[in-house]
Amino acid sequence: MGKLYNIPLGHHFLKTLARGVLEEFSCDPLALSQVQILLPTRRACQEIKNCFYEIQSGKALLLPRISPLGEVGSEPNPLLYPDLPSPGDLRVIPPLMRQGLLLQLVERFQKESLKGVLPKSLSLKLTQDLISLIDQSQIERVPLERLHDIVPETYASHWQITLDFLKILFESWPQILRENHYIEPYAHHWESTDHLVRFWASNPPAFPIIAAGSTGTMPATRLLLKSILSFEKGRVVLPAYDNELDPEVQVENTHPQVSLRRLTQELDQEILLWPWLEALDPLTEARATLFRKMVNPKNNASSFQNDNLNALQNLNLVECKTLSEEALTIAVILREVLEDPEKAAVVITADQELELRIRAELERWGIELPLSKMLRTEPEGILVNLIGAISNDHFDPIDLLGFLKHPHVRCEGDITALEKNVFRTIQRDWTWEMLLQVQDDKGEIFPRALTEILSPLLNSQKEIHPLQRWTQKLKSVLEKIAPEFEESTDFQRLSFFLNQLEAASSGFSNLSMKDYFEILDELMGRQSHQEKGEGPARIQILGVLEARFTKCELMILAGLNEGSWPPEIHEDPWLSRPMRASMEFPSPERRIGLSAHDFGSAFSSPQVILTRSLRKGGTPTVPSRFLNRLEVTLKGEELRMPRDEFYKTLAQELDSSHTAIPLEAGAPTPPLAARPTQFYVTHVEMLRRDPYAYYARHILKLRPFDPINYPPRAADRGNLFHKILETIFTSSLDLLDMGAWDHIQNLAKGEFDKISLDSTTRLFWWNRFLRFGVWFLKTERELRTHYPELRTHVEAEGSITFKTPLRSYTLKAKADRLDLYPEGRVAVIDYKTGVPPTSQDVELGFAPQLPLEAAILQEGGFETLGVREPLSLAFWWLKNTGAGGEIKHIKEDAPLLAIQAFDGFFNLLEFYEDPNQGYAAEPLPEKALQYNDYEGVSRAKEWRRG
């Protein structure tokens, strides 16, 4: 009969195990090599090898045979079991093949029963949920046929629909497996375990087998452990079993001992202490006692009464305001650890965002740690998705530019010119045919070679092919991008994945190109790999599962919030909790118990720092139940959790400055020769309201880029309506004619057709035009009925030249509309589709366009009109409310206002003739430009806050 051991909480599990194995078998090095050690994970197998190396101080050693516990039955070592016959000829179904075959069943059910099919990506996610249900039933060895018994006819109708859907798992799916000679992974694990256990029963191993670290959550594992204990040289070593816990006490699923309690009850054997335990230091022992007290409040834990202060030594809770502050604080701690060559630290967190932030903060010191990445987010995965996005007839220019600028793509042609001259325009529904017609002065601006690269996939969006054929087409494209695609190290992971997909292609039904790339994206999101980092091995960032059995002198338990540690419990998408209980599936809360066990193992260390953030993504967080339980336990002992903010303060100081030098807001002073001498009346407002914006635009010649394929903007609508009104007057249309309205609509449709508008925008803009068009025509008819000889000049250009004592200037204008009345005076009109300036702003010189046009008119600057006096100044507001339009007159005397505006402009020019006078940003913030493309350049708001 074998022996059941326990390594209590607080001990370094793997190092203690390795030390005991070495001491027991040290007399014969060859005997050590005959020992087989079974551990729960591959990482634990690697870690115990490091422990052997560390204990032996690097001396040569024949190690025991070490393998993961789950593989001993599924993949037995033929050297250890040469006489073990094969359990069967069935192959374990490959993961991709499994997904493809199940996907076909899911889609068939949708077509036959639901009369519709979900998108491939959603159907694939549904398939993954089915796989989880299959795995759960196989792990627990519960036949899915029992679903019939747990969904009686008295349940709601939607449960009956769910049951009808799940029938594919126990009616159609087993038949498919048989036809293809496949077996489910966990069914194979069970079959192999049963086979090995039967073999051991008749052929007990002659060598020691030590199964260590398992909590026995899987029934097959419990069977294997029980079998190991059945022969003399078998040993099972439990991780942190609490022998002080009263066996009569009922433990809940969230308790850290729930899995071990079930395992020990099933093994039904006396639990011994591991004989080679070393004495715990008082601090670690006190910490372990504190944890037991925390999770077992009914346990008096008398030793804790004596050592309560020891438990709080080298224990610290750091609560940060935000996730970024928490990440920086942890990075500072790790950076300090590296200052001492003898120190090491491990960060354990289940929060992936926090992990990425910590890594990013460490990069400021050139520290790069290994990182797990998904194929979808790697450059080659991004390239595949871009290929799928641009291979359709209709594509998004952002995807095309992303493809052209991808580091793996080498394409001749001026990509910058393509982006600037072609794609930074108003939104269009781009097609390849449209793009290839775009030419510049030198010929084609777009390299036709790209169509050759994409030729295997172009014009294929309506085709239906097997998955293998689509994969071959994709490979053809990739080979044109990288001629040695299959051998290239840059594409190594992608090539391996595509080969696997091609091998499993028979499991998938025929697909369209769109469906193929949807499936590809979803599958690439599940392919991950560990990227090697160049950082020091003395600091690590591990997930909760990775960190099992990991011990270090400094343990940082990070992200201690609900939903992270312990993880959020997701409800079963198929079965309610009573249904799961009827199926004898474990409670979802079991994960919390395992998480609590992991927390206790990490917490029982010599130096522990606990961290959490008070807010995440702007939302308040809830402290982890482990942290709350710990605080309550300490409060019951009239103690408080230590909160040392030293590292948080260091992190805050890292990016702050105590020697702030007060600076005045920037006001550049270019030389006089660089300052413009020509002005348009529309530019004077910018000079008046924001001199810095004028400086950036007209002296530095900075121009903002339009967004790529941007949606129609208010400015585009204004330009369109201005053009329509200009066309009305240049078409010699008689506005008093009865058919004028029909003619106006035809002219407007012609202008609408000249710009690319989506149907929704076109409808809204057209309705707005109709509203103000009716008002416009009515207003024009009333005006021309009273003044039959009225003459209208549109887009009239004019200019005047004048001198100051230092320089000569030209003031130019392009007036929207000038109405010449029979008496000889002129009404100056400006169309506005937005809210027009107030009369006060016009009179004070903050909106001087109309008065300055009137000043040019007074000086005879409009050649077609000669010297004229302004009759009135008015804005015609083309609104989308009320009557559709409104005339807003400037009430001041027009000739006087024109003179005042010109005098103000003259004085403004003299003001800026001083070389020492700078162009300040928004000197009067309340009068700043409403739309300012240069606000980010001047950083006016930042200056004001300072």
Side-chain angles (χ1 to χ4, degrees):
M1 180 67 93
K3 294 182 180 180
L4 178 61
Y5 291 107
N6 175 42
I7 296 179
L9 187 65
H11 292 272
H12 190 317
F13 184 84
L14 294 179
K15 186 177 287 187
T16 303
L17 177 67
R19 184 182 296 109
V21 172
L22 281 173
E23 289 186 16
E24 183 178 4
F25 298 98
S26 59
C27 58
D28 183 1
L30 293 179
L32 178 63
S33 66
Q34 298 300 312
V35 176
Q36 184 175 21
I37 298 178
L38 307 177
L39 295 171
T41 63
R42 291 180 181 274
R43 184 179 186 87
C45 294
Q46 182 58 47
E47 286 293 325
I48 199 170
K49 292 176 184 178
N50 296 336
C51 290
F52 279 117
Y53 180 82
E54 182 182 341
I55 294 170
Q56 287 291 99
S57 302
K59 295 179 182 177
L61 181 71
L62 288 174
L63 288 176
R65 297 182 174 95
I66 304 170
S67 58
L69 190 60
E71 294 180 4
V72 67
S74 302
E75 301 175 13
N77 190 330
L79 296 177
L80 293 178
Y81 312 108
D83 300 325
L84 177 65
S86 173
D89 297 329
L90 296 178
R91 298 169 295 161
V92 176
I93 185 170
L96 293 176
M97 177 70 75
R98 190 188 194 194
Q99 290 174 338
L101 292 173
L102 272 172
L103 180 62
Q104 290 189 54
L105 291 180
V106 169
E107 292 184 332
R108 186 191 307 165
F109 177 84
Q110 292 173 13
K111 291 176 183 176
E112 295 174 355
S113 302
L114 303 181
K115 309 304 180 183
V117 179
L118 292 171
K120 289 287 184 183
S121 58
L122 294 180
S123 295
L124 201 58
K125 290 177 181 178
L126 199 62
T127 301
Q128 191 61 40
D129 289 335
L130 286 177
I131 289 174
S132 299
L133 180 61
I134 293 173
D135 287 344
Q136 184 75 73
S137 70
Q138 297 286 357
I139 289 171
E140 302 300 328
R141 231 175 192 178
V142 176
L144 287 171
E145 287 82 355
R146 286 180 58 177
L147 288 170
H148 275 300
D149 302 327
I150 66 167
V151 188
E153 296 180 357
T154 54
Y155 271 69
S157 58
H158 70 274
W159 282 116
Q160 295 299 326
I161 297 174
T162 302
L163 177 60
D164 290 341
F165 176 63
L166 294 179
K167 283 180 181 178
I168 64 177
L169 300 183
F170 53 84
E171 292 182 356
S172 304
W173 181 239
Q175 181 179 352
I176 291 176
L177 291 175
R178 286 192 297 271
E179 290 173 354
N180 292 277
H181 305 288
Y182 284 132
I183 187 173
E184 288 283 359
Y186 285 105
H188 175 259
H189 178 65
W190 260 113
E191 187 176 303
S192 302
T193 302
D194 282 337
H195 186 66
L196 182 62
V197 167
R198 290 193 300 270
F199 176 76
W200 276 348
S202 56
N203 301 276
F207 50 85
I209 298 181
I210 303 173
S214 174
T215 57
T217 53
M218 293 174 58
T221 303
R222 296 197 294 273
L223 175 65
L224 188 65
L225 296 179
K226 197 169 184 179
S227 175
I228 290 173
L229 286 177
S230 67
F231 49 86
E232 185 179 353
K233 293 187 178 182
R235 300 176 191 179
V236 173
V237 185
L238 303 177
Y241 177 74
D242 187 0
N243 55 359
E244 295 183 10
L245 183 62
D246 187 350
E248 302 302 322
V249 173
Q250 183 71 26
V251 293
E252 299 178 351
N253 287 315
T254 57
H255 195 282
Q257 293 290 313
V258 63
S259 295
L260 286 170
R261 169 70 69 85
R262 180 175 181 178
L263 174 61
T264 54
Q265 288 174 345
E266 195 164 323
L267 295 179
D268 191 23
Q269 190 164 324
E270 181 185 3
I271 302 172
L272 308 173
L273 278 178
W274 183 245
W276 298 276
L277 290 178
E278 290 187 344
L280 284 176
D281 62 272
L283 192 152
T284 303
E285 187 171 2
R287 196 105 73 216
T289 304
L290 172 58
F291 178 74
R292 286 194 292 268
K293 172 75 173 179
M294 180 184 97
V295 296
N296 307 320
K298 294 181 181 180
N299 188 349
N300 291 327
S302 57
S303 60
F304 179 67
Q305 303 294 330
N306 302 323
D307 299 331
N308 48 15
L309 292 179
N310 277 342
L312 300 183
Q313 290 181 19
N314 294 336
L315 176 65
N316 185 24
L317 172 62
V318 182
E319 291 186 303
C320 302
K321 293 180 181 178
T322 63
L323 201 66
S324 58
E325 185 179 78
E326 182 182 4
L328 183 56
T329 301
I330 294 171
V332 168
I333 298 171
L334 296 178
R335 181 64 185 85
E336 184 194 51
V337 167
L338 294 179
E339 290 297 305
D340 187 343
E342 302 299 321
K343 284 188 176 181
V346 172
V347 180
I348 305 176
T349 181
D351 190 328
Q352 293 184 347
E353 183 181 351
L354 176 61
E355 178 185 350
L356 291 174
R357 285 178 179 269
I358 296 171
R359 294 177 188 277
E361 295 293 353
L362 287 172
E363 287 179 1
R364 66 169 71 200
W365 296 295
I367 302 170
E368 294 185 11
L369 299 180
L371 177 64
S372 179
K373 290 187 176 181
M374 291 189 300
L375 179 57
R376 176 198 283 164
T377 58
E378 288 288 87
E380 55 268 35
I382 294 171
L383 178 63
V384 167
N385 280 331
L386 288 172
I387 291 172
I390 66 174
S391 296
N392 291 301
D393 276 349
H394 300 266
F395 62 86
D396 188 334
I398 293 179
D399 292 328
L400 179 61
L401 292 171
F403 175 80
L404 292 172
K405 296 180 181 182
H406 194 280
H408 292 324
V409 176
R410 301 287 183 270
C411 195
E412 297 178 0
D414 192 343
I415 299 172
T416 303
L418 173 71
E419 176 183 337
K420 182 179 178 182
N421 302 330
V422 178
F423 289 142
R424 290 190 179 274
T425 57
I426 197 168
Q427 196 171 46
R428 300 176 66 183
D429 187 13
W430 282 96
T431 65
W432 282 95
E433 184 178 356
M434 291 166 53
L435 188 59
L436 293 175
Q437 290 175 351
V438 175
Q439 294 186 354
D440 62 2
D441 296 337
K442 298 179 182 179
E444 294 177 355
I445 194 171
F446 181 76
R448 285 185 178 270
L450 184 57
T451 59
E452 174 60 27
I453 292 175
L454 298 173
S455 59
L457 291 171
L458 283 181
N459 304 317
S460 300
Q461 67 273 13
K462 294 182 180 179
E463 297 177 7
I464 303 296
H465 293 298
L467 183 138
Q468 183 180 21
R469 177 60 178 151
W470 285 120
T471 304
Q472 290 170 351
K473 282 174 171 281
L474 175 59
K475 283 184 174 181
S476 299
V477 173
L478 291 170
E479 285 168 357
K480 292 184 178 184
I481 295 172
E484 298 179 355
F485 159 70
E486 296 282 358
E487 289 77 26
S488 171
T489 55
D490 292 334
F491 291 92
Q492 186 176 4
R493 290 182 295 272
L494 177 62
S495 177
F496 177 74
F497 167 69
L498 292 179
N499 288 337
Q500 280 189 316
L501 188 62
E502 203 168 356
S505 60
S506 60
F508 291 81
S509 59
N510 290 349
L511 307 162
S512 67
M513 187 170 70
K514 178 177 178 294
D515 290 340
Y516 172 72
F517 280 102
E518 279 188 9
I519 286 179
L520 206 59
D521 178 62
E522 185 67 26
L523 294 178
M524 286 194 299
R526 299 174 191 166
Q527 304 291 318
S528 62
H529 71 282
Q530 188 76 15
E531 187 178 72
K532 294 183 179 180
E534 299 178 357
R538 291 188 292 117
I539 59 175
Q540 300 180 74
I541 304 176
L542 303 177
V544 177
L545 294 177
E546 293 176 303
R548 283 182 181 170
F549 312 120
T550 300
K551 278 285 185 180
C552 195
E553 58 185 282
L554 173 58
M555 304 290 285
I556 303 173
L557 281 57
L560 285 171
N561 289 319
E562 283 294 305
S564 176
W565 201 344
E568 184 178 357
I569 300 300
H570 298 285
E571 294 298 326
D572 191 318
W574 306 114
L575 306 176
S576 64
R577 286 176 179 265
M579 291 177 179
R580 286 182 61 88
S582 300
M583 290 286 288
E584 298 181 4
F585 286 172
S587 167
E589 280 74 20
R590 185 181 65 174
R591 291 185 62 198
I592 297 178
L594 294 173
S595 184
H597 189 274
D598 295 333
F599 177 85
S601 298
F603 179 76
S604 303
S605 301
Q607 185 178 1
V608 179
I609 297 177
L610 312 174
T611 72
R612 65 175 293 259
S613 54
L614 301 177
R615 301 181 74 86
K616 182 178 179 181
T619 304
T621 58
V622 177
S624 166
R625 66 190 68 190
F626 307 146
L627 201 54
N628 283 338
R629 195 77 173 263
L630 183 58
E631 299 249 37
V632 169
T633 303
L634 291 174
K635 188 176 181 181
E637 300 293 332
E638 299 182 351
L639 296 172
R640 294 187 64 186
M641 174 75 74
R643 284 177 166 81
D644 185 354
E645 298 197 345
F646 172 72
Y647 292 110
K648 186 169 76 171
T649 303
L650 278 182
Q652 292 169 344
E653 295 290 324
L654 197 60
D655 293 327
S656 64
S657 174
H658 293 291
T659 57
I661 303 173
L663 297 173
E664 295 183 359
T669 55
L672 185 61
R675 304 190 182 199
T677 57
Q678 290 192 7
F679 291 85
Y680 274 92
V681 292
T682 51
H683 299 160
V684 179
E685 179 176 352
M686 179 182 285
L687 180 61
R688 185 77 171 82
R689 291 179 183 267
D690 191 343
Y692 189 97
Y694 181 86
Y695 161 79
R697 182 176 182 85
H698 298 286
I699 298 178
L700 297 182
K701 308 296 184 184
L702 298 180
R703 296 290 186 275
F705 272 136
D706 286 326
I708 295 173
N709 213 39
Y710 61 86
R713 302 171 293 190
D716 300 310
R717 185 185 67 237
N719 293 335
L720 172 63
F721 290 172
H722 275 67
K723 187 63 178 177
I724 292 173
L725 295 176
E726 178 188 354
T727 305
I728 290 173
F729 287 106
T730 56
S731 64
S732 303
L733 171 64
D734 183 0
L735 295 174
L736 297 177
D737 185 77
M738 293 299 294
W741 178 235
D742 292 336
H743 192 42
I744 288 175
Q745 291 185 77
N746 290 333
L747 293 175
K749 286 178 181 177
E751 296 300 327
F752 266 85
D753 291 339
K754 292 179 182 178
I755 63 174
S756 175
L757 294 176
D758 61 272
S759 57
T760 303
T761 303
R762 184 184 180 98
L763 177 63
F764 274 100
W765 286 13
W766 180 254
N767 287 337
R768 181 162 182 172
F769 162 74
L770 294 179
R771 181 184 289 272
F772 89 73
V774 171
W775 169 85
F776 172 79
L777 182 58
K778 178 183 177 183
T779 304
E780 286 291 338
R781 283 175 170 172
E782 291 175 356
L783 185 63
R784 295 178 192 282
T785 300
H786 288 88
Y787 303 99
E789 298 179 5
L790 180 72
R791 296 292 179 266
T792 296
H793 299 259
V794 294
E795 300 299 321
E797 297 185 3
S799 64
I800 57 173
T801 301
F802 59 95
K803 292 183 179 181
T804 65
L806 293 180
R807 309 180 80 190
S808 177
Y809 294 92
T810 299
L811 179 63
K812 298 181 178 181
K814 189 174 184 179
D816 280 354
R817 175 170 175 168
L818 299 175
D819 280 354
L820 177 61
Y821 282 78
E823 63 191 75
R825 293 198 292 173
V826 175
V828 183
I829 298 170
D830 188 54
Y831 298 126
K832 290 292 183 185
T833 53
V835 179
T838 63
S839 294
Q840 184 185 42
D841 281 348
V842 175
E843 294 161 9
L844 293 177
F846 289 103
Q849 178 182 348
L850 286 182
L852 288 177
E853 288 178 358
I856 295 174
L857 185 68
Q858 286 177 325
E859 297 296 323
F862 293 100
E863 294 182 3
T864 56
L865 292 169
V867 178
R868 299 284 181 177
E869 278 296 304
L871 173 65
S872 63
L873 308 177
F875 294 105
W876 282 32
W877 186 6
L878 311 178
K879 301 199 298 182
N880 194 32
T881 58
E886 179 183 348
I887 299 177
K888 296 181 72 71
H889 290 281
I890 308 302
K891 297 180 181 178
E892 279 286 330
D893 178 69
L896 177 61
L897 193 57
I899 295 171
Q900 291 174 346
F902 183 79
D903 289 344
F905 175 58
F906 190 90
N907 293 334
L908 189 64
L909 293 176
E910 288 189 320
F911 179 73
Y912 282 105
E913 283 179 348
D914 180 0
N916 297 319
Q917 180 57 51
Y919 291 81
E922 299 182 1
L924 296 173
E926 67 276 9
K927 295 295 183 181
L929 292 168
Q930 186 176 3
Y931 303 104
N932 188 354
D933 291 322
Y934 302 93
E935 192 173 51
V937 180
S938 67
R939 302 172 76 173
K941 290 182 178 179
E942 296 177 42
W943 284 114
R944 283 202 296 274
R945 283 199 298 268

